[in-house]
Amino acid sequence: MKKEILEFYQKTSSYTDLGAYQDFAKNLPDDIDQLCLLQRMQIIHPFAFRDKEIRNKKNCFWGDMTKVPITRLEYEDDIFPTAQSIIAELLRKDPGYHVKREAKNKVHVTCRGQAILLASILKAKGIPARVRSGFAEYILSNGIYYDHWITEYYDKSVDRWKLVDPDEHCPDHEINFDLNDIPYNQFLFGAYAYLGIRQNQYQPENIFYSSEPPTLGLKASLRCLFFDFHSLMNHEIIFLHLPKYIQDKNFVLSEEEYQELDSLAHLMLDPDKNLNKLQEIWKNTTKFRILSGALN
C-alpha cells in the first residue's frame, strides 16, 4: 500500500478528530474485537429505544431500559454528530468507559456514530482508518440490502484493509462471518449499489434506505454514493447532508448528470488506485460538496 494513501487516512476531520480526548482513545484496548465490544456497550441503537417492548425491559442487552427518560430523543445523531461529542457526552454521564455502563447513561446514535467513533479511536492510535457507507443484507438476512455504515482500517500485520462493523457486535446476533474482518462481498458499497441499480442488477425494492418514508432503489443508492464519497475524502457527513443540486431536483437528474455520477462511482470501486482522481473531483466539482441540510 502506498505510503501517501495510509498517511491520508491517518488524518482526521472535524468529525473524527478527538481533540482533548486523543490520549483517552490511545489508552483504549488495541484488540479490535475488545474495542468494538466495549464501544457497543456505550451506545443504544435508536431502533431499540423506539421499540416499546424493549423500552419496558429492565434486563436486556442494553441494560435497564425503564430508567432511560422518555424525553430522550430516539435519534441523537444530530446532537452528537462528531466522535468527540459522543465521547464527551459519554464521559459527562459516566467517567467510566466500561461494559457495565447503565442504559440511562448511554447515547442513542446509529451505525454512522459507531463507525466514526471507531475510526476516530483507530486514527488516534496511529492506525489508518476510513468510514464507509453502503448497504448490508446481513443485518436482517431477508434478501433486502439496508443502508449501513461501517469502518475500514488498515491492518499492517497482514498488509491489507479490513472491514469491521462495531454496530453489529451484539451477542444475540448470529452472523456466519467475522465482524472484525468482513468479506468484501458481504457489504454493498454505495458505488456498487448505484451502478448495480443503473445496470439493472438489483431490484429497486431490494435497496432500502431507512428514511421516513423509506427511500428505495436509485434514490437510496444516490444517498450512500455521496455518503461514501465524502467519507473517502475524510468528510463523514451526517444523514441530513446531501449535495444541494440533488435535493433541489428531488433526486430526478438528467441522463448527462447520471453519467457524470457513473464516472465517479466507477472510480470509487477502487478508491486506493483512484485516490488522486477522486481528490481532483473533490477539489474541482464543487456541486458535489455544496450540501443541503436542516437549515440550508
Side-chain angles (χ1 to χ4, degrees):
M1 184 60 60
K2 292 182 179 179
K3 180 181 178 182
E4 56 266 31
I5 294 175
L6 299 182
E7 288 178 345
F8 179 70
Y9 289 113
Q10 283 181 298
K11 294 179 181 179
T12 59
S13 68
S14 57
Y15 297 105
T16 56
D17 190 88
L18 290 180
Y21 299 102
Q22 185 112 349
D23 288 339
F24 169 83
K26 289 178 182 178
N27 290 322
L28 292 174
D30 292 329
D31 179 81
I32 194 69
D33 190 55
Q34 291 182 34
L35 188 60
C36 288
L37 287 170
L38 178 60
Q39 179 176 309
R40 190 67 187 82
M41 299 309 296
Q42 314 307 307
I43 293 169
I44 297 174
H45 195 286
F47 280 4
F49 186 65
R50 72 193 304 184
D51 187 314
K52 291 183 179 179
E53 183 178 343
I54 294 176
R55 288 270 293 275
N56 290 325
K57 288 185 176 181
K58 292 187 176 182
N59 185 18
C60 69
F61 173 76
W62 289 276
D64 186 351
M65 295 291 286
T66 66
K67 296 289 182 66
V68 182
I70 60 172
T71 52
R72 288 276 299 275
L73 290 175
E74 292 175 0
Y75 289 80
E76 295 181 332
D77 296 71
D78 51 349
I79 303 177
F80 311 116
T82 68
Q84 185 173 175
S85 65
I86 293 172
I87 289 182
E89 178 66 2
L90 287 169
L91 298 183
R92 183 184 75 84
K93 288 179 172 294
D94 180 352
Y97 194 91
H98 49 72
V99 296
K100 294 184 178 181
R101 175 179 289 269
E102 293 185 61
K104 65 180 182 179
N105 293 329
K106 298 181 181 184
V107 297
H108 309 158
V109 294
T110 61
C111 51
R112 176 195 169 273
Q114 292 272 17
I116 66 165
L117 182 55
L118 180 60
S120 72
I121 292 169
L122 293 172
K123 288 173 183 283
K125 292 175 175 288
I127 299 171
R130 55 197 183 194
V131 172
R132 302 302 305 267
S133 178
F135 301 86
E137 189 270 338
Y138 62 79
I139 294 176
L140 292 179
S141 300
N142 61 358
I144 305 296
Y145 288 86
Y146 295 91
D147 63 292
H148 200 40
W149 300 61
I150 59 177
T151 306
E152 190 174 31
Y153 77 99
Y154 196 77
D155 187 340
K156 293 181 181 179
S157 68
V158 292
D159 195 27
R160 65 177 176 88
W161 290 101
K162 288 184 176 180
L163 294 175
V164 58
D165 187 346
D167 191 53
E168 290 296 315
H169 275 68
C170 306
D172 59 347
H173 194 173
E174 294 184 6
I175 295 177
N176 61 0
F177 54 80
D178 186 359
L179 284 170
N180 303 311
D181 190 6
I182 300 172
Y184 276 77
N185 63 2
Q186 294 292 333
F187 190 79
L188 190 64
F189 295 104
Y192 282 92
Y194 168 79
L195 291 172
I197 289 289
R198 287 275 288 161
Q199 298 163 4
N200 298 314
Q201 295 174 356
Y202 300 107
Q203 295 297 318
E205 62 269 20
N206 291 339
I207 304 297
F208 183 98
Y209 181 83
S210 52
S211 55
E212 293 292 343
T215 307
L216 306 176
L218 188 60
K219 288 184 178 181
S221 67
L222 273 172
R223 288 179 181 273
C224 288
L225 174 71
F226 275 104
F227 291 154
D228 200 39
F229 176 51
H230 277 251
S231 293
L232 285 171
M233 296 295 99
N234 279 333
H235 188 241
E236 303 85 359
I237 54 180
I238 65 175
F239 304 121
L240 297 175
H241 296 164
L242 278 173
K244 192 173 187 302
Y245 86 99
I246 288 181
Q247 291 276 42
D248 288 347
K249 291 172 179 271
N250 195 27
F251 291 80
V252 180
L253 307 180
S254 68
E255 182 57 28
E256 183 180 354
E257 288 171 320
Y258 282 126
Q259 289 177 6
E260 182 181 40
L261 295 179
D262 291 347
S263 299
L264 172 66
H266 278 292
L267 292 175
M268 290 170 59
L269 298 181
D270 192 342
D272 293 331
K273 177 183 177 181
N274 299 314
L275 182 59
N276 289 337
K277 292 180 180 179
L278 290 170
Q279 289 173 325
E280 282 298 310
I281 292 173
W282 179 256
K283 178 181 178 181
N284 297 318
T285 311
T286 54
K287 68 178 180 179
F288 290 170
R289 298 172 60 187
I290 299 174
L291 302 175
S292 63
L295 299 176
N296 294 326

